[in-house]
Amino acid sequence: MKKNGKGSFLAALWWLMGSLCLGALLLLLSPRESRLSQKENRMLAGFPQLTAQSLQSGGFFSGLEDFLCDGFFGRDEVVDWTDSALALFDKRTEEQRQIQEAAEIERLLEQDAQGGGQTPEPTIQPMLTPSPALTETPAPTPTPSATPMVTATPMVTATLAITATPLATATPTLSPTAVPTATPRVIVPLESGAEYTLELTGVNGKNTHVYSYPAENLMAFAQTLNTLAGMLPEDGEVHYLQVPVSGVGRRVRTNLATYNGWVSTMEDALQTQVAGNVHIHNAPAILNDALVNKEDVFYHTDHHWTPLGAWYAVNSIMESRGYPTMPFEEYAYFARLMGRDDAGREDWLHLLEPLAPTHSYVLTHLTEAKELDFMNREYRTYIAYINNTRLPWRRFTGGFGNQRRALLISDSFGNVFLPYLLPYYGEVHMTDLRENYYSEKDAGGTFRELLAYHEVDDVYVVLSTANGINSYNSLTVFDQTIRR
């Protein structure tokens, strides 16, 4: 009996020692630096820094937990094998998938209501030279119902001439048809305690509540927009657009037996609180018909909107300014399959080919510029658009002869929005003012100083709901950054 007990003890001891040695070996082989995961479109956690402060606050142990989850050796292979194994036993019905998707949407909405809570998107150090284009033949582009067909080959006709003279009436003009002015207006404060909402409209007449926007948040953010507008030239304009995350849009599109659209009252209320040269655009209203027609304006496997959704927004804004606009199908795209969801619905990357020679730069320390490819054809995720989020400041130049300059302030939702601004400006600049994104030291000055240095005429603010009006980024970080 004793012999058997001793044998069991030794077996357990050797098993424990072997496990510890294997664990130590895996930790030694695992990459200790944070790195980009293209499959998950995020930065994987690196080994945390051991300091007295991190030990006292508990940050070291939470960081170590993240590292153990993200950093173990052979992680991608293990994840792929696990996903394949689970797929074999996945017996969920389509109804169960929709229930699960609805639960995920509710989680995102709760996260948004608490001020965003998203981890920073991955950024990549600027490349010194453009990477060579792939030789792979672009995949055929899907044609959604009632959606203009996107081609994966360069255009042969309808290409804009690169001249300093106004374009034909079928293409964007090089200058505004009328000079906008900052018209003074009397602003009547919103009713205290009032709330404005985004709701999914039900076919049975009952709406489903999604977001609430307190009047106090709208008035506070309106002051920020008015401050920004006051920094622009007399004919400058500010345009604001807040875009719901894709899960909310998919909820309408995939449940048309329940919903016949969505409606947001926030934008009209915010418009009453801003100066005459600040214009608020209603993204749910702009995208409503496309959703109902089952057009691909949101991704199924990603939380972003698509280039088609962004085109609808830019098209609506430019029409409101009196500009002729460029049809979506007149652009040429490099198309590549991005992925499929559980129901087999495909997501495609559509990397826009500029209508005129375009140069993309990352700017640091005010004057240091490094050029990189406009789009990155190597990636198969959303970070391919304009070669991913880059810090702290970007500049895009085109060949249309227009002297006006625009600045796009955005989170990653601006990455598919920016390309459609290029035909309307000689230069388009871009920055991200979220917490831990904009660095005055790296940029070479405060936001106000860079705005003046680059002689920006118009500003477009495009944010997802995760970083929108209810978030800490918009209510605090954004405001403090532009006022410095």
Side-chain angles (χ1 to χ4, degrees):
M1 192 75 178
K2 278 186 177 180
K3 189 174 181 180
N4 290 338
K6 184 178 180 180
S8 299
F9 172 76
L10 290 175
L13 180 61
W14 281 108
W15 177 261
L16 178 60
M17 292 179 63
S19 298
L20 290 174
C21 291
L22 178 61
L25 179 63
L26 291 176
L27 285 177
L28 290 174
L29 293 175
S30 299
R32 302 175 68 84
E33 300 296 328
S34 178
R35 70 255 183 235
L36 175 66
S37 170
Q38 292 188 30
K39 292 183 178 180
E40 300 178 44
N41 192 18
R42 69 180 181 92
M43 295 298 287
L44 300 178
F47 193 83
Q49 185 176 5
L50 179 59
T51 63
Q53 183 178 1
S54 65
L55 282 174
Q56 184 178 2
S57 65
F60 173 79
F61 298 103
S62 61
L64 181 61
E65 182 179 352
D66 292 338
F67 170 73
L68 293 175
C69 292
D70 285 353
F72 61 84
F73 180 72
R75 179 181 186 277
D76 288 344
E77 290 73 14
V78 172
V79 170
D80 288 343
W81 181 88
T82 303
D83 289 343
S84 299
L86 291 176
L88 296 175
F89 299 97
D90 188 1
K91 303 300 183 183
R92 293 176 299 165
T93 64
E94 180 61 25
E95 180 181 3
Q96 288 171 324
R97 287 191 178 93
Q98 290 183 6
I99 292 173
Q100 185 182 48
E101 183 177 90
E104 174 63 12
I105 293 171
E106 295 300 329
R107 184 189 68 79
L108 285 171
L109 299 182
E110 179 64 24
Q111 176 177 285
D112 294 352
Q114 294 173 359
Q118 292 186 333
T119 57
E121 293 149 7
T123 58
I124 303 175
Q125 292 300 318
M127 296 178 292
L128 293 175
T129 57
S131 58
L134 298 184
T135 57
E136 171 185 345
T137 301
T141 305
T143 307
S145 59
T147 305
M149 183 173 63
V150 182
T151 62
T153 55
M155 293 186 302
V156 178
T157 60
T159 302
L160 295 181
I162 307 171
T163 64
T165 56
L167 303 177
T169 56
T171 57
T173 59
L174 299 178
S175 58
T177 55
V179 178
T181 57
T183 305
R185 69 168 57 168
V186 177
I187 296 177
V188 179
L190 298 174
E191 182 181 350
S192 178
E195 288 195 344
Y196 304 89
T197 62
L198 171 67
E199 297 182 345
L200 310 185
T201 55
V203 295
N204 60 359
K206 295 182 180 180
N207 292 354
T208 300
H209 176 81
V210 181
Y211 292 109
S212 290
Y213 302 98
E216 290 70 22
N217 287 2
L218 297 188
M219 290 187 288
F221 189 67
Q223 292 181 12
T224 301
L225 294 177
N226 291 339
T227 300
L228 179 60
M231 300 177 183
L232 300 179
E234 183 179 353
D235 64 344
E237 296 185 3
V238 173
H239 294 267
Y240 178 72
L241 186 81
Q242 181 171 294
V243 189
V245 293
S246 64
V248 181
R250 291 197 307 269
R251 193 170 178 179
V252 174
R253 177 181 169 176
T254 60
N255 295 278
L256 292 177
T258 303
Y259 306 111
N260 57 14
W262 54 4
V263 60
S264 175
T265 60
M266 176 273 289
E267 287 79 6
D268 286 345
L270 181 60
Q271 185 68 70
T272 67
Q273 303 301 299
V274 294
N277 61 335
V278 179
H279 306 278
I280 312 302
H281 302 274
N282 191 323
I286 293 171
L287 300 175
N288 186 74
D289 289 346
L291 273 183
V292 174
N293 290 331
K294 293 188 176 183
E295 297 181 33
D296 289 322
V297 292
F298 288 103
Y299 282 119
H300 300 286
T301 60
D302 189 280
H303 70 280
H304 295 96
W305 59 347
T306 67
L308 179 60
W311 173 83
Y312 271 118
V314 175
N315 191 69
S316 176
I317 292 172
M318 295 307 169
E319 283 184 343
S320 73
R321 301 191 68 180
Y323 291 14
T325 57
M326 172 66 69
F328 182 72
E329 66 271 19
E330 291 296 324
Y331 290 96
Y333 301 83
F334 177 87
R336 166 170 282 180
L337 183 64
M338 180 174 168
R340 296 179 179 85
D341 67 3
D342 290 341
R345 291 174 291 228
E346 294 181 339
D347 278 338
W348 286 79
L349 292 172
H350 290 124
L351 307 182
L352 182 143
E353 304 281 357
L355 297 172
T358 298
H359 296 277
S360 167
Y361 303 92
V362 175
L363 304 184
T364 55
H365 305 102
L366 196 62
T367 58
E368 296 177 10
K370 294 182 180 180
E371 185 169 6
L372 66 158
D373 288 343
F374 179 54
M375 299 282 181
N376 193 318
R377 294 188 177 190
E378 295 183 4
Y379 292 138
R380 294 181 179 271
T381 63
Y382 187 87
I383 62 177
Y385 291 114
I386 64 169
N387 226 316
N388 198 28
T389 298
R390 306 278 181 152
L391 307 177
W393 195 276
R394 300 189 69 173
R395 182 178 73 211
F396 300 84
T397 61
F400 291 99
N402 190 346
Q403 299 303 309
R404 290 187 71 82
R405 299 180 181 182
L407 170 66
L408 173 61
I409 301 172
S410 69
D411 54 16
S412 60
F413 272 58
N415 292 6
V416 293
F417 183 92
L418 181 139
Y420 298 106
L421 288 179
L422 292 175
Y424 303 93
Y425 293 93
E427 287 187 7
V428 177
H429 293 248
M430 184 180 191
T431 192
D432 190 331
L433 299 185
R434 287 175 292 172
E435 187 175 27
N436 300 323
Y437 274 72
Y438 182 80
S439 165
E440 293 181 1
K441 179 180 178 181
D442 293 338
T446 65
F447 170 81
R448 183 187 294 264
E449 290 169 341
L450 266 72
L451 190 73
Y453 178 81
H454 293 295
E455 299 179 334
V456 171
D457 298 291
D458 300 322
V459 175
Y460 296 83
V461 183
V462 177
L463 298 169
S464 68
T465 47
N467 298 294
I469 290 175
N470 285 345
S471 74
Y472 173 72
N473 278 313
S474 283
L475 291 178
T476 302
V477 179
F478 187 13
D479 185 71
Q480 291 177 352
T481 301
I482 70 169
R483 290 179 187 275
R484 281 200 289 270

